[in-house]
Amino acid sequence: MLTIKTRFAPSPTGDLHIGGLRTALYNYLFAKKNNGKFVLRIEDTDRARFKKGSVETILTGLKWVGIKTDGKIIYQSLRTDIYKKYAEQLIVKNKAYYCFCSAEILNKIREEQIKNGNPAKYDRRCLKLSKKEIEEKIKNNDPYVVRMIIPDGKTKFKDLIREEVEFNNREIDDQVLLKSDGYPTYHLANVVDDHKMKISHVIRAEEWLSSTPKHIILYEYFGWKPPKFAHIPMVLASDKSKLSKRHGATGVLEFKKQGYLPEAIINFLAFLGWNPGDSREIFSMQELIKEFSIEKVQKGGAIFNIEKLNWINGQYIRKLNIDKLTKLCISYFEKKKSLHSSSFIKQIVALEQNRLKKLSDIAEFSDFFFKNKLEYDKDLLKWKNMNNEELKNILEKISDIFSEIPENDFTKEKLEPILKSEAVKIGDNGKVFWPLRVALSGKKASPGPMEIAEILGKEKSVERVKSALEKIK
Ligand code: GLU
């Protein structure tokens, strides 16, 4: 029986992209569902695009969301001898050739091809070099690359998501396999390693679909059996273009910083191109492993809907117990936390739990608890068509009520019946609770006024009602 083995093969050219994590997740889910292995391979052979620190963001990102890799991490940059050996093998078999053309010549060839209405491909002039000429150039230390020969005809393969895919080889350039710096290109290293690592399924983003015919040809040249391919839909922004920095956060660790929970990120990413075929939306990693199937992955681009992510994240935030949530929120309180007791912070977190979409919201939602003076427009105090007189009367009334309640009894339970009976007298809840809520929070939207009052305590609450009265004088 075929042992299932998948891999995540990122190039360390920047922070781990959220779309990259989706690729890793699909590979992981597929492997684990089939009792297979999931490995990590760092494709770091493009030294010009290599960015220091990106391997760390990949490892931290995977760890954060709970994707564990099997076995040792493979770094391609440490394996250049292997790729060179295979490139030379292809030269011996007449499936690849040395090319000594400079960038300048290549540009000229391109221009010429375009002028003549041909695909902008290399014209194979180095394929005509004699053995002697090649030896001389190499002895002379002339820089060279190794190119594969793309044969005539068509290349077909079956994609697990797209069914039969066909490419006309005429469109494909003689791909460089080995660069002049001695490093392999993505294509050579990728094929050699997928073979050597016994990868059974290559699950990768659709953008690599056009590379696959080159890979299929390489497998044929080497006499190796190719893995199965599944090209998963691109992650698109709401304007249907490829999701990029200009649409907001794209780095996995940026999402972490903003206060998205790893469980929510996984749940959301799983649905970016896949769904279980019914209306269920909340899935743990274990549930995803059970349910995931490649057949249910869609072909068309998957829109990254931040509202959906916020909703899912909110669902996971609601499920946390207060101690855990407080711990996760604490860094968003910045310096404020040192000035207040942890039970004060915990009360605030409990109060805001149901309103949070992401953990960082806590900072903005709760800032009024920490201010000495609230800034707001005095008109905000008025409920609908309330007039000044009514507003003044109720705030005075509330101030009296608050002052009479002993400090220790200043709780929601105590305040509620008293304020409610006041509202009944006036005949409109809004005329009591709206001005009070604004006086205590200075905000259009906040939790209920009695809950806020309880956390603020008697002294601060009275002070805030009094300063509201000052404002409308
Ligand atoms: N290194 C490629 C990337 O960065 C891997 C593509 C593949 O999975 O073959 O996405």
Side-chain angles (χ1 to χ4, degrees):
M1 213 183 81
L2 176 75
T3 316
I4 302 291
K5 194 171 182 191
T6 62
R7 57 20 173 218
F8 178 42
S11 299
T13 54
D15 292 349
L16 175 58
H17 191 279
I18 195 83
L21 183 59
R22 199 265 322 244
T23 301
L25 176 66
Y26 281 17
N27 276 286
Y28 177 76
L29 294 177
F30 181 77
K32 296 298 140 180
K33 162 137 199 176
N34 294 293
N35 296 319
K37 298 247 179 288
F38 168 72
V39 294
L40 176 62
R41 182 171 77 221
I42 304 293
E43 301 207 326
D44 54 354
T45 60
D46 188 342
R47 301 318 284 175
R49 291 182 62 224
F50 178 79
K51 217 164 132 217
K52 233 181 128 216
S54 28
V55 173
E56 288 69 24
T57 73
I58 293 165
L59 300 179
T60 315
L62 292 178
K63 189 163 173 217
W64 177 58
V65 297
I67 294 183
K68 287 192 200 72
T69 57
D70 295 308
K72 275 216 290 235
I73 303 171
I74 303 282
Y75 290 85
Q76 289 188 326
S77 61
L78 303 176
R79 295 159 60 82
T80 48
D81 288 354
I82 300 175
Y83 310 121
K84 192 158 186 248
K85 189 184 93 194
Y86 281 107
E88 279 160 4
Q89 228 182 64
L90 290 184
I91 292 175
V92 173
K93 287 190 187 173
N94 287 328
K95 302 296 186 196
Y97 57 97
Y98 293 103
C99 171
F100 298 90
C101 292
S102 65
E104 223 183 338
I105 296 176
L106 291 175
N107 268 338
K108 270 212 191 105
I109 296 173
R110 256 181 75 86
E111 278 166 22
E112 197 71 15
Q113 300 276 37
I114 292 171
K115 213 170 78 193
N116 298 332
N118 295 325
K121 298 192 318 189
Y122 180 58
D123 65 2
R124 292 191 170 161
R125 63 181 67 180
C126 283
L127 191 52
K128 295 184 195 100
L129 294 173
S130 68
K131 216 171 165 212
K132 204 163 150 253
E133 283 170 308
I134 294 170
E135 271 164 10
E136 256 165 34
K137 282 177 185 290
I138 290 178
K139 223 164 89 199
N140 207 18
N141 274 334
D142 285 2
Y144 66 81
V145 301
V146 174
R147 287 180 186 275
M148 71 186 281
I149 298 177
I150 300 289
D152 293 340
K154 290 187 171 150
T155 305
K156 282 189 207 162
F157 58 92
K158 229 174 110 75
D159 184 275
L160 295 177
I161 296 167
R162 273 145 237 281
E163 308 285 317
E164 187 100 331
V165 189
E166 187 182 281
F167 284 85
N168 190 338
N169 294 0
R170 201 184 108 79
E171 308 295 328
I172 309 172
D173 202 2
D174 278 358
Q175 177 63 51
V176 173
L177 298 177
L178 205 63
K179 294 176 285 183
S180 55
D181 62 3
Y183 281 94
T185 56
Y186 154 71
H187 307 279
L188 176 63
N190 193 271
V191 165
V192 167
D193 283 344
D194 281 343
H195 171 73
K196 286 199 143 304
M197 293 164 74
K198 299 196 169 62
I199 299 301
S200 65
H201 290 74
V202 166
I203 301 170
R204 63 183 168 202
E206 191 187 336
E207 62 186 308
W208 302 103
L209 189 64
S210 60
S211 296
T212 307
K214 297 174 191 172
H215 301 179
I216 298 279
I217 296 167
L218 282 175
Y219 282 106
E220 262 169 38
Y221 283 174
F222 286 122
W224 297 335
K225 187 170 172 273
K228 293 202 164 36
F229 291 98
H231 289 88
I232 59 180
M234 297 298 290
V235 177
L236 305 176
S238 49
D239 63 4
K240 303 257 168 80
S241 65
K242 193 177 161 186
L243 185 74
S244 71
K245 283 260 170 244
R246 74 190 161 88
H247 301 109
T250 54
V252 172
L253 299 181
E254 289 173 68
F255 286 94
K256 177 175 190 268
K257 215 158 131 193
Q258 286 182 22
Y260 289 97
L261 300 175
E263 298 83 358
I265 293 279
I266 287 302
N267 193 153
F268 171 73
L269 288 182
F271 275 75
L272 216 51
W274 169 88
N275 71 72
D278 54 43
S279 58
R280 288 170 302 157
E281 292 189 288
I282 299 296
F283 282 82
S284 67
M285 186 74 100
Q286 282 318 310
E287 288 164 339
L288 287 170
I289 290 173
K290 229 172 98 197
E291 294 277 339
F292 186 78
S293 74
I294 281 286
E295 291 73 37
K296 287 207 176 108
V297 175
Q298 73 196 43
K299 283 196 200 69
I303 307 270
F304 188 95
N305 179 348
I306 192 83
E307 291 308 323
K308 175 95 190 272
L309 172 58
N310 286 340
W311 179 80
I312 292 179
N313 204 49
Q315 300 299 307
Y316 282 91
I317 289 178
R318 316 274 177 278
K319 284 194 202 173
L320 291 174
N321 75 42
I322 288 304
D323 286 322
K324 177 94 198 279
L325 182 59
T326 306
K327 225 164 134 191
L328 290 169
C329 282
I330 213 84
S331 62
Y332 300 99
F333 285 103
E334 294 162 40
K335 288 167 226 129
K336 291 167 197 155
K337 65 175 188 275
S338 57
L339 304 171
H340 295 272
S341 71
S342 57
S343 73
F344 180 68
I345 299 283
K346 197 161 138 181
Q347 276 179 295
I348 294 175
V349 170
L351 183 60
E352 300 286 0
Q353 181 168 26
N354 287 337
R355 302 175 65 231
L356 296 177
K357 288 185 177 140
K358 45 190 195 290
L359 302 174
S360 57
D361 290 342
I362 194 79
E364 193 197 315
F365 286 5
S366 68
D367 58 354
F368 64 90
F369 279 105
F370 303 92
K371 286 188 176 147
N372 286 328
K373 198 167 177 290
L374 300 180
E375 310 274 351
Y376 57 91
D377 180 358
K378 65 177 189 319
D379 285 340
L380 192 58
L381 288 163
K382 278 188 199 157
W383 170 248
K384 292 188 176 160
N385 51 2
M386 213 176 178
N387 63 38
N388 268 344
E389 198 54 29
E390 285 177 297
L391 180 60
K392 190 167 154 270
N393 288 342
I394 189 62
L395 288 174
E396 273 169 357
K397 185 77 206 171
I398 292 172
S399 169
D400 291 345
I401 292 170
F402 277 11
S403 304
E404 275 165 29
I405 299 175
E407 175 103 48
N408 284 346
D409 278 345
F410 206 78
T411 60
K412 179 181 180 231
E413 283 67 44
K414 205 67 190 192
L415 295 168
E416 196 157 10
I418 309 176
L419 292 171
K420 277 220 168 120
S421 76
E422 222 35 65
V424 170
K425 270 191 240 162
I426 297 176
D428 184 350
N429 276 347
K431 287 187 175 173
V432 177
F433 296 113
W434 178 272
L436 174 58
R437 211 186 46 69
V438 174
L440 297 178
S441 69
K443 281 183 192 281
K444 249 194 214 134
S446 77
M450 278 142 337
E451 288 88 345
I452 300 176
E454 178 175 333
I455 298 176
L456 282 174
K458 176 174 172 173
E459 194 186 323
K460 271 228 164 102
S461 299
V462 171
E463 196 184 293
R464 288 190 179 188
V465 174
K466 286 201 165 137
S467 72
L469 274 165
E470 280 298 308
K471 267 186 191 279
I472 57 166
K473 245 190 195 164

